[in-house]
């Protein structure tokens, strides 16, 4: 009996040791995961801040180089901005947009082939108003049905009483 008890005690101690080791590993792993998630969030916030600052700076550069102040850049003005401000391309590379002046000019040329954006926005706006109008009509229809059902039940009660 003494050997069997000693064997169970050793087995119990090993089981407790592995349970404690598992708990300790889980706590360390959880701590590392929380730290990594915090670091990823910080990096995302940093990139988002950089994008916002870059957008402001880019808007400023484009508006200062616009000659006719119409709110639009001509192809020549756009190309001049890209060539005279190499920092624009450097900042784009920092944001993982690896491109060249020629590629950007190709994209600029493609903008003229896009259908009228204002017309598209108006269509979306009209579709939104139609959807809201449908919802209003549906709500009014349901209210009318509920009112009609109430009047019908009142009429039934009157007939039943008579």
């Amino acid at each position: 009996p003494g050997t069997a008890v000693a064997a169970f005690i050793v087995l119990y101690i090993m089981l407790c040791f592995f349970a404690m080791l598992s708990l300790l590993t889980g706590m360390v792993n959880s701590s590392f995961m929380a730290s990594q998630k915090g670091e990823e969030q910080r990096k995302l916030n940093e990139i988002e801040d950089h994008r916002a600052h870059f957008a402001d700076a880019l808007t400023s550069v484009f508006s200062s180089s616009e000659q006719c102040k119409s709110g639009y850049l001509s192809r020549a003005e756009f190309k001049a901005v890209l060539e005279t401000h190499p920092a624009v391309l450097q900042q784009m590379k920092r944001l993982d947009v690896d491109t060249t002046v020629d590629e950007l000019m190709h994209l600029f040329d493609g903008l003229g082939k896009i259908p009228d954006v204002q017309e598209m926005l108006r269509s979306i706006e009209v579709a939104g108003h139609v959807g809201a109008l449908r919802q209003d009509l549906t709500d009014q229809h349901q209210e009318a049905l509920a009112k009609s059902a109430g009047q019908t039940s009142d009429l039934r009660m009157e007939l039943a009483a008579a």
Side-chain angles (χ1 to χ4, degrees):
T3 327
V5 171
F8 282 120
I9 290 175
V10 169
L11 185 64
Y12 176 74
I13 290 173
M14 286 177 51
L15 182 65
C16 288
F17 172 76
F18 284 120
M20 292 300 289
L21 185 64
S22 175
L23 287 172
L24 184 63
T25 303
M27 287 175 32
V28 169
N29 188 23
S30 175
S31 174
F32 281 136
M33 292 295 284
S35 173
Q36 185 178 10
K37 188 175 182 180
E39 181 67 21
E40 287 175 3
Q41 187 63 40
R42 186 191 64 75
K43 284 182 181 180
L44 287 174
N45 289 342
E46 184 179 302
I47 288 172
E48 195 61 37
D49 289 344
H50 180 69
R51 284 184 180 172
H53 292 298
F54 177 65
D56 291 341
L58 193 61
T59 302
S60 171
V61 167
F62 283 156
S63 62
S64 68
S65 65
E66 181 189 3
Q67 294 173 354
C68 63
K69 303 297 181 201
S70 64
Y72 298 98
L73 284 174
S74 68
R75 186 179 199 286
E77 290 170 334
F78 183 68
K79 188 170 186 176
V81 167
L82 294 176
E83 290 174 347
T84 58
H85 296 89
V88 170
L89 290 176
Q90 291 171 352
Q91 292 297 321
M92 290 177 114
K93 285 181 183 176
R94 185 171 175 211
L95 291 172
D96 294 330
V97 179
D98 194 18
T99 187
T100 63
V101 173
D102 293 332
E103 289 174 347
L104 290 173
M105 294 309 298
H106 180 70
L107 289 173
F108 185 88
D109 293 338
L111 289 175
K113 297 174 184 161
I114 296 176
D116 185 15
V117 175
Q118 293 298 326
E119 185 62 34
M120 186 171 61
L121 291 175
R122 271 189 241 111
S123 298
I124 291 170
E125 185 178 342
V126 167
H129 289 303
V130 168
L133 183 60
R134 275 192 191 139
Q135 184 63 40
D136 288 346
L137 290 175
T138 302
D139 292 345
Q140 290 173 2
H141 180 69
Q142 288 175 348
E143 289 174 11
L145 284 176
K147 190 175 182 180
S148 173
Q151 290 173 350
T152 304
S153 64
D154 290 344
L155 183 60
R156 284 185 187 156
M157 290 173 49
E158 288 177 14
L159 289 175

